[in-house]
Amino acid sequence: MRVYNFSAGPAVLPEEVLKKAASEMFEHGDSGQSVMEMSHRSKEYEAIHNECEALMREILAIPDNYKVLFLQGGANMQFDMIPLNLLKTGKADFVVTGQWAGKAQSEAKRYGEANIVASSKDKTFSYIPELDSSKFDPNADYFHICFNNTIFGTRFPELPETGSVPLVADMSSYILSEPVNVSDFGLIYACAQKNVAPAGVTIVIIREDLIRDLSDSKVPTMLQYKTYADSNSLYNTPPTYSIYMCKLVLEWVKSKGGLSAMKEHNEKKAAVLYDYLDTSKLFRSTVEKRFRSQMNVPFVTGNEEIDKKFIKEAKAAGFVNLAGHRSVGGMRASIYNAMPIEGVEKLVAFMAEFEKNN
Ligand SMILES: *Cc1c(COP(=O)(O)O)cnc(C)c1O
């Protein structure tokens, strides 16, 4: 029996996608082989690869002057690739809204000046700080935000006004959850294992003018965006199976009505959970209302023993991976696209029952 999986990542995938992958696992089309076994230079694989990119462009309405790259190394590798490729003056601005945003800043320090314009560390990252654009460096090479903070369950209510400084956003736990205006950003990146595919592939959407020729620099070939942009992300062997799964997930998103339908579905689910948390006498949300994420919902009882008991009993009842991140404790329900509304409704019913008994 399948459980309701509230993992932050690797996370739940749509059942239709898993079934389709299972049906094609042994033989993909009439190729006589699994996608896992295909040469990445074969016609069959190339069709999957190109279709994945075409669907990504269509669903996210990506303008023609942006490249879509399929990389490896997770979001963490982008914490290095971004400064290595984008720093020219050697300065970048960062808003530190959690652990990932902090890592992006601390890695960038290896390569230049990584200025923190605002942080919400004072209140355990439970809000998004007010931004004063007079503190932004107009000569910065980029301005980095983590749009949705997976661990702390916050998201930016609006984008910072960075003028001509390219906005760079970590969208690992946000991409495909609702429409975005890609042209507001210089670069968007996301590891796949939250809302897009199994682990393995990392998506980078980059404005073409930010792709520099670094062939005479010390930047390793494998860490230059241009290497991937010039080779259709086929410079070396890409994570072929993850890209195939990404294509299936994109087909699923499209069949459900695209990103506006995802937004509606995700808002409904999040409302079910937050409405309960706001009326519960046992559980409460840890995040200020206007900064709440639709994807990652942390909550606590205020008593560690009861938190532990809840996580244990929830698991036994088929609601798994509800423990909060190891750095914050408590609980967290990640409710990505593939989590059906029944999963959230049943979780809330279970929480109400637990509340009665505790
Ligand atoms: C999961 C996550 C990461 C880390 O991704 P890896 O693929 O493990 O490197 C970074 N940023 C955000 C926002 C995440 O949710």
Side-chain angles (χ1 to χ4, degrees):
M1 194 196 79
R2 278 179 62 81
V3 291
Y4 287 112
N5 181 4
F6 295 92
S7 170
V12 58
L13 286 161
E15 288 199 353
E16 292 101 311
V17 166
L18 293 174
K19 284 181 180 155
K20 168 108 183 179
S23 78
E24 295 182 333
M25 162 84 121
F26 204 59
E27 279 181 53
H28 183 270
D30 54 12
S31 70
Q33 54 198 301
S34 166
V35 175
M36 289 180 224
E37 302 168 301
M38 285 178 187
S39 161
H40 61 296
R41 308 281 174 208
S42 65
K43 282 228 156 49
E44 286 96 346
Y45 174 71
E46 211 178 331
I48 293 167
H49 189 92
N50 292 342
E51 179 64 11
C52 184
E53 182 189 340
L55 280 164
M56 188 77 79
R57 286 189 169 280
E58 179 187 341
I59 289 169
L60 278 160
I62 299 173
D64 287 344
N65 62 327
Y66 284 75
K67 285 267 195 265
V68 177
L69 311 178
F70 299 123
L71 310 183
Q72 302 191 55
N76 273 272
M77 201 167 83
Q78 294 313 303
F79 301 158
D80 291 291
M81 269 182 95
I82 293 162
L84 279 170
N85 285 265
L86 265 50
L87 286 181
K88 281 194 272 187
T89 68
K91 297 189 293 182
D93 281 348
F94 293 81
V95 183
V96 176
T97 51
Q99 186 175 305
W100 300 121
K103 263 184 133 180
Q105 189 268 342
S106 62
E107 281 300 303
K109 275 197 302 200
R110 296 177 187 279
Y111 314 102
E113 218 177 285
N115 177 36
I116 299 175
V117 297
S119 164
S120 50
K121 195 171 178 201
D122 60 338
K123 290 188 197 163
T124 338
F125 302 115
S126 58
Y127 68 104
I128 300 290
E130 199 73 54
L131 297 178
D132 173 2
S133 56
S134 72
K135 284 195 185 151
F136 300 178
D137 182 347
N139 298 315
D141 293 318
Y142 65 95
F143 187 108
H144 184 279
I145 60 171
C146 180
F147 191 81
N148 182 82
N149 296 283
T150 323
I151 296 174
F152 300 95
T154 61
R155 58 167 278 172
F156 277 73
E158 64 218 1
L159 293 178
E161 303 271 355
T162 64
S164 61
V165 175
L167 186 58
V168 172
D170 181 349
M171 291 197 180
S172 293
S173 51
Y174 169 75
I175 197 165
L176 302 184
S177 69
E178 63 179 17
V180 295
N181 188 13
V182 172
S183 55
D184 289 339
F185 301 87
L187 189 154
I188 291 169
Y189 64 102
C191 57
Q193 69 272 18
K194 313 293 167 72
N195 209 17
V196 181
V201 65
T202 300
I203 315 294
V204 168
I205 302 167
I206 180 171
R207 212 173 61 210
E208 277 170 349
D209 61 285
L210 297 174
I211 303 174
R212 281 158 66 207
D213 185 352
L214 294 165
S215 46
D216 291 333
S217 75
K218 286 243 170 15
V219 178
T221 306
M222 285 294 288
L223 297 182
Q224 298 177 20
Y225 290 126
K226 194 166 189 300
T227 303
Y228 300 87
D230 288 351
S231 62
N232 190 26
S233 302
L234 285 160
Y235 172 74
N236 72 325
T237 317
T240 52
Y241 202 74
S242 294
I243 292 170
Y244 158 74
M245 288 296 289
C246 177
K247 180 192 88 113
L248 295 189
V249 168
L250 291 167
E251 285 169 351
W252 177 83
V253 168
K254 188 176 169 179
S255 76
K256 297 288 170 192
L259 296 186
S260 48
M262 286 299 129
K263 178 181 167 76
E264 199 180 311
H265 163 67
N266 290 324
E267 280 175 350
K268 249 191 233 162
K269 281 187 303 187
V272 169
L273 189 47
Y274 285 121
D275 286 350
Y276 168 68
L277 289 171
D278 288 341
T279 53
S280 169
K281 292 201 170 55
L282 179 64
F283 299 101
R284 65 176 176 84
S285 158
T286 55
V287 176
E288 283 182 31
K289 261 187 190 163
R290 68 201 161 109
F291 304 125
R292 286 177 178 175
S293 166
Q294 308 274 353
M295 295 280 98
N296 311 98
V297 184
F299 54 95
V300 294
T301 64
N303 176 324
E304 264 180 56
E305 288 310 308
I306 297 184
D307 286 354
K308 269 196 209 126
K309 182 167 185 248
F310 172 76
I311 292 162
K312 192 169 159 221
E313 290 182 16
K315 185 176 176 192
F319 307 100
V320 309
N321 289 319
L322 279 166
H325 189 268
R326 55 197 152 84
S327 66
V328 292
M331 282 74 71
R332 171 180 50 172
S334 294
I335 48 176
Y336 299 117
N337 286 350
M339 173 58 65
I341 188 144
E342 301 79 52
V344 180
E345 286 166 348
K346 285 182 185 167
L347 172 67
V348 164
F350 178 81
M351 288 167 77
E353 189 59 31
F354 183 90
E355 180 171 351
K356 243 191 262 160
N357 303 330
N358 286 275

